[in-house]
Amino acid sequence: MAKVKYYYDSDTLSYRRIEPKKRKKFLKILFFLLGAFLFGNLGLIVLLNTSLVNTPKELSQARELKNYELQFQLLNKKMAQIEDVLANIEERDNNVYRLYFEADPIPNEQRTAGFGGVNRYKDLEGYNNSDLIIGATQRLEKLQKRLVIQSKSLDEITDLAEEKAKLLSAIPAIQPVRNKDLKRMASGYGWRSDPFTKVRKFHYGMDFTAPRGTPIYATGDGKVIRADNRATGFGEHVRIDHGFGYKTIYAHMSKYNVRKGQRVKRGDIIGYVGSTGRSQAPHLHYEVWKDKKRINPINFYYGSLSAAEFEALLKAASQENQSLD
């Protein structure tokens, strides 16, 4: 309660109450309100500049940061899934595909190596979440590099597969005369008695006896490099270059129906059984060459014979008898 003040009036010889002037009273009220306003705003400014109260803009930015952090967490999960899938593909690439096609595996260090040299992430430094951003960027770049390496490896595997397919088609893999057309397998690869001189000498092919005119088949894909009768002893004969170091010879034909330079496929009829050249009876003399050396044809019939048929052929070919040429 405000104090009441008095003054002594000498005219009336009594004390009178001092009444405050309205102007002073107004000024006091004004000064009080002004002070309250100033101190109130100052307190509000101080309060807003502390961590106790956030502005709407700060609240919005905080929500955005939380959303970014959530998006980075989701991105890291997706990258982890991609890394797992890629690691599985890389393992199969090294241990299945490259192993099958006899290609050297790609070392894990080469697949997962980072990037050396200058600081690639300098522009990403200095932010509140720089570590998070730089870490995600590094993972993405490593994934990108691994994908590039894997893509190149699959391209190499594709080329190797195409080359392998060509090789499998080119290798002599069937009997040149069908079993149902054969009278017998007259002579195999190895030491045999010459039908003319009766001298024991090495027989470098296999002789298949069949009626004159029996079809003779190309045993693998290739290119005809000879179709003539100018080779000593072979009579009418055909030679096929299969590539990859393989060549085959078909001799003593009654006739051939291919020409030099012609491409043939496995199973194509290239001529017919005869007895031309140095031959004792109608038969096909068949040879297989690998890297300019004659090898045993018995190893190249897996594409047309059953296990039992191959065993019977092997038994007949191993008998040291007389050849027909």
Side-chain angles (χ1 to χ4, degrees), residues 213-229:
T214 298
I216 298 170
Y217 302 92
T219 56
D221 296 0
K223 181 180 179 181
V224 177
I225 55 174
R226 285 191 68 169
D228 56 53
N229 61 359

Side-chain angles (χ1 to χ4, degrees), residues 68-207:
Y68 288 145
E69 289 177 359
L70 177 61
Q71 294 300 323
F72 268 109
Q73 290 174 1
L74 294 175
L75 177 63
N76 281 326
K77 287 183 179 180
K78 289 180 180 178
M79 284 194 291
Q81 293 173 347
I82 294 172
E83 286 170 341
D84 289 341
V85 173
L86 183 56
N88 181 264
I89 294 173
E90 290 170 340
E91 182 180 2
R92 282 186 290 162
D93 183 46
N94 274 348
N95 299 324
V96 179
Y97 309 137
R98 300 186 71 83
L99 182 64
Y100 177 78
F101 293 108
E102 301 178 355
D104 293 332
I106 299 174
N108 189 58
E109 296 77 13
Q110 181 180 340
R111 291 182 184 270
T112 59
F115 299 89
V118 297
N119 185 2
R120 300 167 57 86
Y121 313 107
K122 187 175 182 180
D123 294 340
L124 301 177
E125 295 176 348
Y127 300 99
N128 291 335
N129 295 295
S130 288
D131 292 342
L132 191 64
I133 298 171
I134 291 173
T137 304
Q138 286 176 329
R139 289 183 72 182
L140 281 172
E141 289 186 343
K142 285 184 178 180
L143 273 173
Q144 183 182 20
K145 181 179 180 181
R146 289 170 65 185
L147 284 169
V148 170
I149 292 174
Q150 185 57 49
S151 177
K152 290 181 178 179
S153 177
L154 290 177
D155 288 341
E156 182 183 354
I157 293 300
T158 300
D159 292 339
L160 290 171
E162 291 176 354
E163 196 69 9
K164 189 85 169 182
K166 292 178 183 177
L167 171 62
L168 293 176
S169 296
I171 293 176
I174 64 173
Q175 205 169 258
V177 179
R178 292 183 300 184
N179 257 5
K180 68 175 186 176
D181 296 330
L182 287 178
K183 288 185 176 179
R184 64 189 177 91
M185 208 290 295
S187 181
Y189 180 93
W191 290 99
R192 299 291 183 268
S193 174
D194 185 277
F196 298 100
T197 65
K198 307 304 180 182
V199 174
R200 190 169 178 266
K201 71 174 187 178
F202 202 91
H203 187 243
Y204 286 100
M206 294 186 72
D207 291 343

